[in-house]
Amino acid sequence: MNQDISLPGAGPAVPRPSPQDAVEPAPEAIQNAWVQDWRAQEERALADPQAYWASRAQELEWSQTWDTVLDDSRAPFFRWFTGARTNIVTNAVDRHLLTARKNKLALIWVGEDTEQVRTYSYFSLAREVDTMANILRAMGVEKGDVVTIYLPRIPEVFFAMLACAKIGAIHSVVFAGYSSDALAARIDDSQSRVVITADGSWVNGKVFPLKDLVDEAVRFSPTVRSVIVVRNTGTTVEMDPTRHHWYHEMCQLPIAKGRCATEQVDAEDPLFILYTSGSTGAPKAIMHTHGGYMVGTYATLRDSFDIHDEDRWWCTADPGWITGHSYLVYGPLLNGATVFMYEGSPTYPYPDRWWEMVERYGITSFYTAPTAIRTLMRFGEAWVRRHDLSSLRLLGSVGEPLNPEAWRWFHHVVGQDRCPIIDTWWQTETGMFQITTVPTMPGKPGAAGRPVFGQEAAVVDENGVEVEDGTEGFLVLKHPWPAMLRTIYGQDERYVNTYWSTYPGLYLTGDSAKRDADGWFWIIGRTDDVIKVSGHRLGTAEIESALLTHPDVVEAAAIGLPHAVKGNAVHCAVVLAPGVEPDRHLEDGLRRHIAATLSPIAKPDSFEFPEALPKTRSGKIVRRVLRARALGQDEGDLSTLDDA
Ligand code: WT7
């Protein structure tokens, strides 16, 4: 592999693994936990992972059972539950209609204007999904077609994803904070013919013009034939009568009415693609399938967040990320849970909005991201103390390391020392948790936990040899798992090279970590050219190519620098065109340019404007040197640099 993997010298300070730090769960938190004897379950699962996963799959419904649990004959193109037929919607929606859950709330939705509330029982969710599925079918969407979904956090995002799944179409959800360029690139790459969007979305009291951005994105698209527009903000938008359709109008058409049968698909048929940033090149379309993904998200959510019928589950993630797919939409519905979704942000109009929602809706299980915890921590605990959070039972975290200080605040102030904290390490690629805890395990502030049942992880050196406990190295996964990505859509070779070529037989995560003597894993950070900013995954290559389309920029390099709230912040070294002088104005212009061509989440915090970038003789930018310089550290060995 040509990847220049180096361990990050300058990640956030990592606490020394110390087993004494373990926090035992409060007895009342684990009384009825599904997983009591976790050591026994761990042993049983590892003794025969395939038998373990088969037993978990049997908790769900299949219209035809599998011939083989795991087909590894073409590894690393693993196939799970081959020969089986089902549909994730059969298990996420349909089967609940045959039980008392039919009348249970599936979704409670609250708008940024909290007077706007919409609730759906499993029964009415099923009806909504049928309507959307009928409409998609009538538009000619067929099994295997890709539908792009560019929607804010409103109920229609559930309907759209489930409707695609129901008819065997592949959804490609694009985060509604991406620019039109980023959206266009994803539409083109996936060759999608239908886009589902809204007129706008509410962002801190203002309208973000989603439909206008879609118009820009599809103006030159050779594939898109139809755009379905959900009315959300009520803003005026331009509708081209030949290919733009109001969703609420289509719902009135005869074609929208009636039931829509859930297509039984092969376990290995694609369910969705989701774009994520990699080390190099354009974002990768990670592909997941119906069967294995269903089993993996169902089982891991049930074990780690101990889902019971009386729970009210709130995952704050956006459906545009994998967390939204696996643990806002599919995992909770597969478990028959009541899902809460809030449209707005945690700090608007005041930093107690989330706690207000927890109190008002009696949330029991609350899953969020470290950057949000650190942001809310800064506003002080008085905002939390205003609200009665006694309904909370379990807290969770995902996206980047939850540093011990934030862990303790979350545990003490939000969880009132009662609620176990479930830190979950996983990736877009893994589809489901890989390293986490179940509530009966002790929690360690700053550690993600242990590999999920049926999985083993290891920390290795450059040669793939396991390092000693307490030593930092490359984090790898040892066993295939049902919700694993099957490939990068249309790029099988890139799939093999990215994940499976560095250490044959081991899945390369791209993260560095340490394991402690108890077997808990402490995640440190990325080892590749991916930057995690507020939990968002950004590729340095994407930021650099966005900069290079600016007329004043000749060369650019992006790196991540430690940041107290965001985890990492983007820093850019930019070589300017002759005659261009750097100043505040120019910096702001570059920031706006990145926001407009990529996304506001990628806006750099800081810039430097050198005469030239440090490069190897073969022309590769040496980010290590940039990082050391920016942090005022020793630049290390410069002998391989091109001195021109
Ligand atoms: C990368 C994957 C999977 C959900 C959201 C992110 C980092 C994720 C943790 C955690 C430390 C974490 C890793 C990983 N990461 N969860 N609990 N502790 N780091 O998905 O955008 O695909 O990013 O996020 O660096 O490789 P993603």
Side-chain angles (χ1 to χ4, degrees), residues 276 322-323 398-401 423-429 509 511 523 526 532 537:
T276 191
I322 190 69
T323 309
V398 62
E400 50 176 322
D423 188 352
T424 62
W425 179 90
W426 58 297
Q427 308 178 302
T428 305
E429 292 86 340
T509 66
D511 281 12
I523 311 297
R526 298 290 310 189
K532 280 262 148 174
R537 178 165 164 178

Side-chain angles (χ1 to χ4, degrees), residues 506-517:
L506 298 173
Y507 170 86
L508 182 73
T509 66
D511 281 12
S512 70
K514 292 181 188 182
R515 185 175 58 196
D516 68 21

Side-chain angles (χ1 to χ4, degrees), residues 13 34 106 124 149-150 187 194 252 301 303 326 331 376 412 422 442 445 469 496 516 613 615:
W34 292 122
S124 49
I149 301 174
Y150 185 63
I187 290 173
V194 175
Q252 300 309 317
L301 185 65
D303 295 351
S326 300
L376 295 170
H412 180 63
I422 311 296
D469 285 345
V496 178
D516 68 21
L613 297 177
K615 287 187 185 165

